[in-house]
Amino acid sequence: MIAFSSKIPNSIRWLYLFSLFSFLCSPIALAEQAAKITQTDVNVDPVSGLVIKSGSSSFELHFATWLRADLQKSSSSSTQGSYSVPLARPLIQANFLDSQLQFLVQPEFAGKNPSLLDLQLEWVPNPIFRVRIGQFRTPFSRAFITPIVRLQLADRGAVVSRFSLGRDTGAMIYGESPQHRFEYAVGVFNGATIDSLDGNRLTPMLVVRTGVNFGTAAPYDQAPSLESDSPSGVAVGLGGAYRKRNVTLSDGSLVLEESWNATTDITFMQGPFSITGEGFLKVSRTPFNWDTGLGAFIQSGIFLWPRAIELGARAGWFSDNDKQQSYEGFVTGFWNTSQRSLGHHLKTTLVYRFNRINLPTAPISNSHELLLQTQMWF
């Protein structure tokens, strides 16, 4: 795990990440030289990124970014507008022994404090049994382990942000049966946040997930008909986790929290239409009391023009100390060329979002948001 102290200047953090990125990218120059004297293929494509292949090994470089314009109006403030780049992520992957051994690193350069998101090593002897170690997304929520570049809307939503267990450092075994009918994942993690080296984890966190597909296997892609002409199937998943750690209260004090987490999800797809929903339960215990958190969301989309225009909506609700309702509508345009479909690699999404937040110590607050976001992923 890599942690950044708040006492380290941002310039030093950037220099550190740039040095790490440059070091990991150095094989590009080496491979281009080697291509002149060995049988090495170097390909650059707007969909597959940079791919260098030599024998049983390959090297991939990808980059994803969001360009966002935002208008917000709440019951306590006037309309405010902003422009931002909330996501700027290079991804480097090296594959060896015909992809049986894989290494992946992904930092986040957007925002004031760059961070390391993923750093993992994976052994893939066969699809049924795989082993992953490092820092990566915990396999608890289907919406969270769906790659962020394959979402329908501009983000995963408030419910997933509240109940997902985020990224963590640990080890996981996972796999899927032939024809992708059944999948599973079991992981043990240290229980801390990804950029934390403090003592807030007391015991390892256990995370499990299982899923079943009926009909066409549902991909971890919220717009499945981008990849298949007529997908038709249902996917059902269950997840659970146990965590015991110290948490920081608003006054700065630490208390012991023990929590049990559960989630269930269902996804249905038929041709250009898809719908997915997920429910969450969190039961936590502190020295003071027991708390129960509940949340759920449902979202759907339909392609009005195959692989080009998608229209849809999402509704979410949670009650976990505070309460929040969220209702969203969206339309996405996928920018294609005359020769091929670019899919998620170049798209623009317009989202209208209404939030209602009910805090225990404040009046109900309503907000409206209009968001325009372009995603570029190569």
Side-chain angles (χ1 to χ4, degrees):
M1 181 188 301
I2 294 178
F4 291 115
S5 168
S6 60
K7 298 180 181 179
I8 300 176
N10 283 336
S11 59
I12 301 300
R13 300 179 187 174
W14 274 100
L15 179 61
Y16 174 82
L17 282 174
F18 179 77
S19 300
L20 173 64
F21 182 69
S22 300
F23 172 77
L24 291 171
C25 286
S26 60
I28 300 176
L30 294 175
E32 289 177 339
Q33 293 299 319
K36 300 176 181 179
I37 57 176
T38 64
Q39 202 118 41
T40 300
D41 296 324
V42 180
N43 297 304
V44 180
D45 184 86
V47 171
S48 57
L50 170 66
V51 180
I52 302 170
K53 293 183 179 180
S54 179
S56 63
S57 302
S58 64
F59 175 88
E60 301 177 24
L61 175 62
H62 307 276
F63 183 77
T65 188
W66 288 348
L67 308 177
R68 179 181 291 180
D70 205 352
L71 282 175
Q72 296 188 40
K73 171 69 174 69
S74 69
S75 45
S76 59
S77 66
S78 58
T79 302
Q80 298 180 346
S82 65
Y83 301 94
S84 62
V85 182
L87 183 141
R89 300 181 183 179
L91 185 148
I92 301 166
Q93 182 169 330
N95 307 297
F96 307 98
L97 305 175
D98 292 323
S99 295
Q100 290 190 46
L101 189 64
Q102 303 173 4
F103 172 78
L104 182 148
V105 60
Q106 179 177 231
E108 172 63 87
F109 286 155
K112 296 181 179 179
N113 300 313
S115 60
L116 179 65
L117 297 181
D118 301 289
L119 180 63
Q120 65 189 50
L121 183 65
E122 189 160 325
W123 178 47
V124 189
N126 56 67
I128 301 175
F129 181 80
R130 310 180 185 190
V131 180
R132 180 183 296 175
I133 60 173
Q135 179 172 287
F136 48 90
R137 285 169 289 164
T138 54
F140 174 63
S141 158
R142 180 183 179 93
F144 185 69
I145 58 179
T146 297
I148 199 167
V149 291
R150 297 184 180 276
L151 302 179
Q152 281 181 314
L153 286 92
D155 53 33
R156 293 188 173 96
V159 178
V160 178
S161 297
R162 175 60 64 99
F163 289 97
S164 73
L165 300 178
R167 287 173 164 85
D168 212 330
T169 304
M172 176 179 73
I173 59 172
Y174 73 108
E176 59 187 13
S177 65
Q179 287 79 49
H180 312 286
R181 297 303 177 202
F182 173 78
E183 61 185 62
Y184 74 95
V186 180
V188 179
F189 303 89
N190 73 357
T193 54
I194 62 171
D195 283 334
S196 173
L197 290 177
D198 59 21
N200 66 352
R201 64 269 191 200
L202 301 180
T203 60
M205 178 174 68
L206 175 66
V207 181
V208 297
R209 174 177 168 78
T210 184
V212 180
N213 285 281
F214 304 93
T216 304
Y220 283 90
D221 186 323
Q222 292 183 350
S225 60
L226 282 176
E227 303 296 332
S228 174
D229 290 331
S230 56
S232 177
V234 177
V236 180
L238 295 171
Y242 170 78
R243 179 163 62 180
K244 187 177 183 180
R245 61 176 183 164
N246 285 317
V247 297
T248 304
L249 300 181
S250 57
D251 61 3
S253 60
L254 291 176
V255 297
L256 175 65
E257 180 192 67
E258 193 173 13
S259 65
W260 295 262
N261 305 265
T263 179
T264 182
D265 61 82
I266 184 168
T267 298
F268 170 79
M269 53 187 183
Q270 181 64 53
F273 175 76
S274 65
I275 184 169
T276 184
E278 191 163 3
F280 298 89
L281 168 66
K282 177 184 177 182
V283 178
S284 59
R285 180 178 64 179
T286 66
F288 310 112
N289 58 1
W290 287 81
D291 288 315
T292 299
L294 294 170
F297 77 89
I298 185 170
Q299 70 183 61
S300 64
I302 185 168
F303 275 87
L304 304 180
W305 185 356
R307 293 185 172 91
I309 302 293
E310 185 183 26
L311 182 69
R314 177 169 65 194
W317 164 88
F318 68 76
S319 176
D320 182 29
N321 296 323
D322 58 328
K323 297 180 180 180
Q324 182 170 333
Q325 301 173 46
S326 179
Y327 304 95
E328 301 166 86
F330 74 92
V331 58
T332 297
F334 297 86
W335 301 94
N336 301 319
T337 68
S338 57
Q339 292 81 21
R340 67 194 302 189
S341 171
L342 298 178
H344 290 292
H345 295 273
L346 185 60
K347 65 180 182 180
T348 298
T349 303
L350 178 65
V351 180
Y352 166 73
R353 177 182 298 157
F354 171 77
N355 286 325
R356 171 166 289 182
I357 302 174
N358 187 357
L359 299 174
T361 58
I364 294 176
S365 173
N366 297 327
S367 67
H368 304 267
E369 182 178 8
L370 189 64
L371 186 153
L372 181 66
Q373 178 172 289
T374 294
Q375 172 175 291
M376 293 180 287
W377 167 39
F378 306 110

